Amino acid sequence: MTVCIDPPDWPGHGRMWSHLVSDLSYAELHAFSDRSGVPRGAFERDLPHSRPRSSGGTPIDIPSHRYAELVAAGAVEVSSREVVRLLTAAGLRRRKGGGVSG
C-alpha cells in the first residue's frame, strides 16, 4: 500500500509533470491526493503516452512545483518505468489496444 510519484520529466502545456499513482487502488490514491490538496481534475484515465485513454490506469498529473511537497507528504519517489510496472502489476493499466496489461 504505497502512493508513488515519478520525476517531473513529462512535458505538457508549458510545464513539466509527474505522475502520482497507487500500487493498491483508486481509493488509496484519491485519499492521499485529497489530503494533499490535489484537485480531482488532475486525475488521468491512463498514462499520457497510452492514447487513446481508456478506463484503466490511475495516474494523477502533478506539476513539477508540487513534487517535493508530495514527497514530503509521503509519496515514494520511483522511476517512470516503475510507475508503469506498478500500474500493470495492480491490474490498473490498460494497453494501447484496450486489453488489460499483465
Side-chain angles (χ1 to χ4, degrees), residues 3-6 8 15 18 20 32-39 61-77:
V3 173
C4 300
I5 191 167
D6 66 357
R15 295 181 175 186
S18 293
L20 189 69
F32 180 89
S33 62
D34 289 346
R35 285 191 310 272
S36 302
V38 175
D61 288 341
I62 302 296
S64 60
H65 69 273
R66 301 242 12 228
Y67 181 83
E69 171 191 346
L70 294 174
V71 170
V76 175
E77 297 172 280

Side-chain angles (χ1 to χ4, degrees), residues 1-36:
M1 296 195 275
T2 304
V3 173
C4 300
I5 191 167
D6 66 357
D9 292 338
W10 300 92
H13 308 287
R15 295 181 175 186
M16 298 301 285
W17 299 86
S18 293
H19 298 108
L20 189 69
V21 301
S22 166
D23 67 352
L24 178 67
S25 69
Y26 298 154
E28 179 185 45
L29 179 64
H30 286 300
F32 180 89
S33 62
D34 289 346
R35 285 191 310 272
S36 302

